[in-house]
């Protein structure tokens, strides 16, 4: 599950700064730019998304309209997305990468622990206090400014919607996320970002590969 994520525009984050600057150049004077969302991102927000072979940033809306036009689909399971008629054409031809600085998850306990939990520094993948604490956590890749998520988009405009709409793929939670939730975004690291966009065979392999990304969690 990925119901919210973050685009935190810190001055030292050169990767994100370049993406935002390119969006500002490409969409100058267009109404979509005024709707660009950073900070905490919610479903239906307009955000930067990387697409095409050269990973150019485009503005897209998070959430594909449902077939009955009631609500939006924000996630798809990587294990079964290719089997769905609604998703298969986009997954084959319109894959994208969603740039972020982390994603949010919640624990639902009785007490809140105002502590930074760094998964890498614990002897166990379990988040100390997360199961018994109640709170909202921002999960990030330690010592990395960006967290890239795999997705796909629909180029067909519906309901007079100008920007394309996209979906974030999810996979089974790895050992670092499992204490908080049984699902997590399909995270792309290193060369897998380019391969997801340009290589259909590699993309199919990434859909079925367990996510090995190590994550840290900060209580927000």
């Amino acid at each position: 599950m990925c119901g919210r994520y973050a685009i935190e525009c810190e001055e030292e984050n050169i990767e994100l700064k370049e993406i935002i600057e390119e969006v500002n150049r490409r969409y100058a004077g267009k109404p979509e730019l005024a709707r660009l969302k950073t900070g905490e991102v919610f479903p239906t927000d307009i955000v930067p998304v990387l697409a095409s072979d050269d990973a150019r940033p485009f503005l897209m809306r998070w959430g594909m309209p449902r077939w009955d036009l009631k609500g939006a689909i924000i996630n798809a399971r990587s294990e079964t997305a290719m089997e769905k008629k609604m998703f298969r054409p986009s997954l084959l031809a319109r894959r994208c990468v969603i740039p972020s600085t982390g994603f949010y998850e919640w624990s639902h306990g009785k007490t809140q622990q105002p502590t930074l939990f760094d998964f890498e520094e614990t002897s166990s993948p379990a988040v100390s206090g997360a199961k018994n604490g109640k709170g909202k956590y921002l999960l990030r890749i330690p010592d990395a400014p960006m967290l890239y998520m795999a997705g796909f988009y629909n180029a067909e405009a519906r309901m007079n919607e100008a920007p394309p709409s996209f979906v974030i793929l999810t996979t089974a939670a790895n050992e670092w996320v499992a204490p908080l939730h049984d699902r997590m975004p399909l995270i792309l690291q290193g060369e897998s970002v380019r391969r997801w966009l340009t290589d259909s065979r590699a993309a199919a392999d990434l859909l079925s590969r367990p996510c090995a990304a190590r994550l840290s969690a900060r209580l927000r």
Side-chain angles (χ1 to χ4, degrees), residues 93-110:
R94 292 183 291 275
R95 293 183 299 278
C96 63
V97 174
I98 298 89
S100 78
T101 52
F103 65 96
Y104 292 99
E105 271 305 339
W106 285 258
S107 63
H108 303 282
K110 295 181 179 179

Side-chain angles (χ1 to χ4, degrees), residues 138-159:
L138 177 64
L139 288 94
R140 308 181 68 164
I141 298 175
D143 302 319
M146 299 293 294
L147 184 149
Y148 293 101
M149 300 177 285
F152 54 88
Y153 65 96
N154 188 345
E156 296 179 6
R158 299 179 65 177
M159 299 185 296

Side-chain angles (χ1 to χ4, degrees), residues 73-147:
I73 299 171
I74 62 171
N75 294 151
R77 296 174 71 94
S78 62
E79 303 92 333
T80 59
M82 195 66 78
E83 302 168 8
K84 307 291 185 181
K85 291 182 180 180
M86 180 179 183
F87 300 148
R88 183 179 174 84
S90 292
L91 195 50
L92 288 172
R94 292 183 291 275
R95 293 183 299 278
C96 63
V97 174
I98 298 89
S100 78
T101 52
F103 65 96
Y104 292 99
E105 271 305 339
W106 285 258
S107 63
H108 303 282
K110 295 181 179 179
T111 60
Q112 186 166 329
Q113 303 287 336
T115 310
L116 170 64
F117 301 115
D118 191 329
F119 290 55
E120 289 189 318
E121 295 179 356
T122 61
S123 59
S124 166
V127 186
S128 175
K131 283 190 174 181
N132 296 322
K134 179 180 179 182
K136 172 182 173 184
Y137 293 84
L138 177 64
L139 288 94
R140 308 181 68 164
I141 298 175
D143 302 319
M146 299 293 294
L147 184 149

Side-chain angles (χ1 to χ4, degrees), residues 132-209:
N132 296 322
K134 179 180 179 182
K136 172 182 173 184
Y137 293 84
L138 177 64
L139 288 94
R140 308 181 68 164
I141 298 175
D143 302 319
M146 299 293 294
L147 184 149
Y148 293 101
M149 300 177 285
F152 54 88
Y153 65 96
N154 188 345
E156 296 179 6
R158 299 179 65 177
M159 299 185 296
N160 298 317
E161 177 185 56
S165 55
F166 72 93
V167 165
I168 294 174
L169 285 157
T170 67
T171 187
N174 63 18
E175 58 182 343
W176 309 103
V177 180
L180 292 172
H181 202 281
D182 61 357
R183 303 291 297 177
M184 65 182 289
L186 182 58
I187 296 172
L188 302 170
Q189 294 181 277
E191 185 63 16
S192 65
V193 172
R194 183 194 63 81
R195 292 170 61 215
W196 175 256
L197 291 174
T198 62
D199 189 330
S200 295
R201 288 187 178 182
D205 179 60
L206 289 166
L207 284 173
S208 59
R209 184 179 298 178

